[in-house]
């Protein structure tokens, strides 16, 4: 009996192993589904690594996080998951550390802001898989008609918005602080005002003086002067703002690479510049990342590591980034893309990545804090909104959630 079992290839043995990966779909149709990307990657890997099979299940972004959560709850965790968040699983000690999986060269190749965002207590569990930054989009036709140049400061942004309003532009500046993606617009404005969600040591600092000043300026100088259109920012969602820009109804808004395709499809000509700050270009822009993680449950550390080293090769990272107009997460692929596409529109986003700041996704409390921001931040810019008070309430909830971690 012992002899039979020894030949069965238990966890981590050299026998045949099947790795299970659950991944998100970045395509918008069957023609460009992520299934095709993974099929190609798996084919190449299995050819070079007989004895390791990889089964990939691809779900839409609406379902993928929930599917993985349910698998883990049932005690059937996949070996690998490429989803939106990793911190809860790291906190439950369900994940391998990145340096238990990856070669030194692969781990060192991750871009620094992204690698840092994958850490919990300075240990990396989340491996960045896809990334993006934000830029200020502006409608070039509306700007040309009003003899405007792209703004570099808050004052110039306000002046441009006033000129657009005077010419009858429906939404001079779109400020989506509605529940769909309020944390993104919030962070972009916090960073441009010299603040952010956390301080230098990584503790929540939501009610800082800089953040309170930023939202007071938005309340008084943009929203209060009727420069953000007829929908109150608390009710304006990102999808609605992007659709309005693609119709030609918006003068300016913060956007990510997806908006380029949406606007081009509708024939809207646009330009893009780094986010304006108080007195010049903002010191940092917002970055976002999606995550790869490896679960300990099945014991396939060695095989999962081999596959991840292959996944993060320069060619595979570049192929994925080029297919979906998403920024690469490694230095080698970023340098290759900069050489090839640095002069293109995507290159402008790439340029902002090294100094970007991400959500504090390494905190298990972030999900609660994010929900609180979605619910409350829009009220800071209401006519009688009190930014200091509202930011203070969010900060108190954040501190309580953080202390419970």
């Amino acid at each position: 009996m012992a002899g039979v079992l020894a030949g069965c290839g238990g966890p981590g043995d050299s026998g045949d192993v099947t790795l299970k990966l659950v991944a998100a779909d970045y395509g918008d149709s069957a023609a460009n589904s992520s299934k095709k990307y993974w099929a190609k990657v798996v084919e190449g890997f299995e050819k070079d690594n007989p004895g390791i099979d990889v089964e990939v299940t691809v779900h839409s972004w609406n379902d993928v996080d929930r599917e993985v959560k349910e698998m883990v709850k049932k005690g059937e965790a996949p070996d690998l998951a490429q989803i939106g968040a990793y911190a809860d699983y790291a906190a439950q000690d369900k994940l391998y550390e990145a340096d238990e999986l990856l070669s030194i060269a692969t781990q060192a190749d991750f871009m620094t802001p992204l690698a840092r965002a994958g850490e919990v207590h300075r240990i990396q569990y989340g491996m960045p898989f896809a990334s993006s930054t934000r830029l200020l989009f502006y409608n070039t036709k509306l700007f040309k008609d009003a003899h405007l140049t792209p703004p570099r400061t808050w004052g110039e942004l306000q002046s441009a918005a006033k000129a657009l309003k005077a010419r009858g532009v429906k939404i001079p500046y779109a400020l989506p602080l509605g529940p769909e993606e309020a944390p993104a617009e919030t962070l972009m404005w916090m960073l441009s005002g010299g603040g952010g969600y956390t301080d230098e040591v990584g503790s929540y600092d939501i009610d800082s003086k800089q953040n309170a000043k930023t939202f007071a300026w938005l309340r008084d100088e943009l929203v209060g002067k009727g420069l953000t259109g007829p929908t109150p920012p608390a009710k304006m969602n990102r999808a609605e703002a992007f659709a309005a820009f693609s119709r030609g109804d918006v003068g300016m808004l913060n956007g990510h690479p997806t908006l380029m395709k949406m606007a081009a499809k509708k024939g809207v000509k646009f330009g893009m510049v780094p986010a304006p700050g108080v007195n010049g270009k903002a010191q940092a822009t917002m970055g976002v990342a999606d995550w790869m993680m490896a679960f300990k449950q099945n014991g396939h550390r060695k095989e999962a590591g081999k596959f991840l080293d292959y996944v993060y090769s320069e060619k595979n990272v570049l192929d994925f980034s080029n297919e979906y107009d998403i920024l690469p997460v490694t230095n080698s692929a970023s340098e290759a893309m900069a050489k090839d596409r640095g002069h293109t529109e995507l290159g402008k986003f790439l340029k902002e990545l090294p100094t970007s700041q991400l959500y504090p996704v390494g905190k298990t409390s972030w999900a609660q804090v994010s929900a609180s921001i979605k619910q409350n931040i829009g009220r800071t810019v209401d006519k009688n909104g009190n930014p200091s008070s509202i930011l203070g309430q969010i900060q108190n909830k954040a501190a309580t959630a953080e202390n419970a971690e």
Side-chain angles (χ1 to χ4, degrees):
M1 191 68 182
V4 174
L5 286 173
C8 280
D13 287 356
S14 56
D16 285 2
V17 162
T18 298
L19 292 175
K20 295 193 171 168
L21 163 64
V22 177
D25 198 348
Y26 288 78
D28 53 14
S29 67
N32 71 346
S33 167
S34 294
K35 286 178 187 174
K36 292 192 170 181
Y37 169 78
W38 285 114
K40 204 171 155 192
V41 169
V42 167
E43 188 186 352
F45 175 76
E46 288 179 348
K47 197 174 159 191
D48 294 346
N49 295 274
I52 308 176
D53 294 331
V54 184
E55 280 178 13
V56 184
T57 308
V58 173
H59 292 287
S60 79
W61 270 112
N62 294 333
D63 303 324
V64 72
D65 287 276
R66 189 184 68 249
E67 291 285 342
V68 171
K69 197 176 182 179
E70 283 172 10
M71 290 172 80
V72 172
K73 207 175 172 184
K74 284 184 201 162
E76 298 166 4
D79 296 288
L80 297 158
Q82 186 272 298
I83 52 178
Y86 66 85
D88 278 349
Y89 301 123
Q92 294 161 31
D93 195 28
K94 292 185 184 295
L95 302 180
Y96 286 116
E97 296 172 21
D99 61 8
E100 293 178 294
L101 298 156
L102 304 171
S103 68
I104 291 167
T106 300
Q107 196 175 358
D109 200 22
F110 289 130
M111 298 196 79
T112 305
L114 304 178
R116 278 201 194 121
E119 293 176 354
V120 177
H121 304 308
R122 298 180 188 268
I123 295 169
Q124 187 180 356
Y125 296 93
M127 293 159 276
F129 183 75
S131 67
S132 170
T133 55
R134 304 294 164 98
L135 292 170
L136 181 77
F137 282 66
Y138 62 96
N139 181 311
T140 47
K141 184 184 185 302
L142 298 178
F143 264 61
K144 196 178 172 186
D145 291 348
H147 308 291
L148 294 170
T149 54
R152 290 160 302 175
T153 66
W154 287 3
E156 288 177 10
L157 185 142
Q158 188 206 44
S159 298
K162 282 179 175 173
L164 293 167
K165 186 186 180 189
R167 294 183 64 85
V169 173
K170 210 183 250 185
I171 307 171
Y173 179 86
L175 184 65
L177 293 176
E180 182 197 354
E181 213 199 17
E185 188 74 14
T186 298
L187 181 54
M188 283 181 271
W189 277 101
M190 282 179 170
L191 291 171
S192 73
Y197 284 134
T198 54
D199 60 20
E200 280 118 25
V201 294
S203 299
Y204 285 116
D205 197 22
I206 293 163
D207 61 349
S208 69
K209 278 183 186 171
Q210 295 101 308
N211 292 341
K213 272 185 187 174
T214 294
F215 282 90
W217 186 87
L218 285 170
R219 179 196 62 197
D220 300 338
E221 304 302 329
L222 278 191
V223 182
K225 292 197 163 43
L227 303 175
T228 53
T231 306
K235 292 192 174 150
M236 165 80 80
N237 278 322
R238 187 201 65 185
E240 189 190 328
F242 278 20
F245 186 83
S246 302
R247 288 194 303 269
D249 290 342
V250 174
M252 300 170 276
L253 82 172
N254 288 317
H256 54 61
T258 311
L259 184 55
M260 296 192 297
K261 277 185 180 171
M262 283 177 69
K265 226 181 234 180
K266 300 276 188 178
V268 170
K269 298 275 191 290
F270 58 88
M272 300 179 306
V273 291
V278 183
N279 300 310
K281 182 193 163 187
Q283 289 179 338
T285 188
M286 187 189 85
V288 289
D290 302 324
W291 302 96
M292 177 73 80
M293 62 216 68
F295 286 88
K296 291 178 181 178
Q297 187 182 319
N298 305 318
H300 296 149
R301 179 185 65 81
K302 194 173 143 196
E303 295 83 2
K306 257 190 185 178
F307 181 61
L308 290 170
D309 277 339
Y310 184 80
V311 166
Y312 284 108
S313 67
E314 184 184 313
K315 182 190 179 301
N316 285 329
V317 174
L318 264 180
D319 283 352
F320 181 82
S321 300
N322 285 326
E323 175 66 36
Y324 298 107
D325 271 347
I326 281 173
L327 303 184
V329 295
T330 61
N331 291 304
S332 57
S334 293
E335 283 159 21
M337 183 183 269
K339 276 181 197 166
D340 184 37
R341 300 180 74 179
H343 60 285
T344 65
E345 300 294 8
L346 196 64
K348 292 178 183 176
F349 289 94
L350 189 61
K351 207 173 172 186
E352 298 299 307
L353 194 55
T355 57
S356 63
Q357 283 193 29
L358 284 79
Y359 297 142
V361 288
K363 296 175 181 290
T364 53
S365 56
W366 171 242
Q368 287 177 63
V369 176
S370 176
S372 179
I373 291 161
K374 287 177 181 182
Q375 205 179 341
N376 298 300
I377 200 72
R379 295 190 291 119
T380 59
V381 297
D382 285 348
K383 192 177 178 183
N384 298 312
N386 184 331
S388 294
S389 169
I390 293 161
L391 291 170
Q393 289 163 27
I394 299 170
Q395 171 68 23
N396 290 339
K397 282 184 185 172
T400 305
E402 187 169 31
N403 291 334
E405 281 186 19

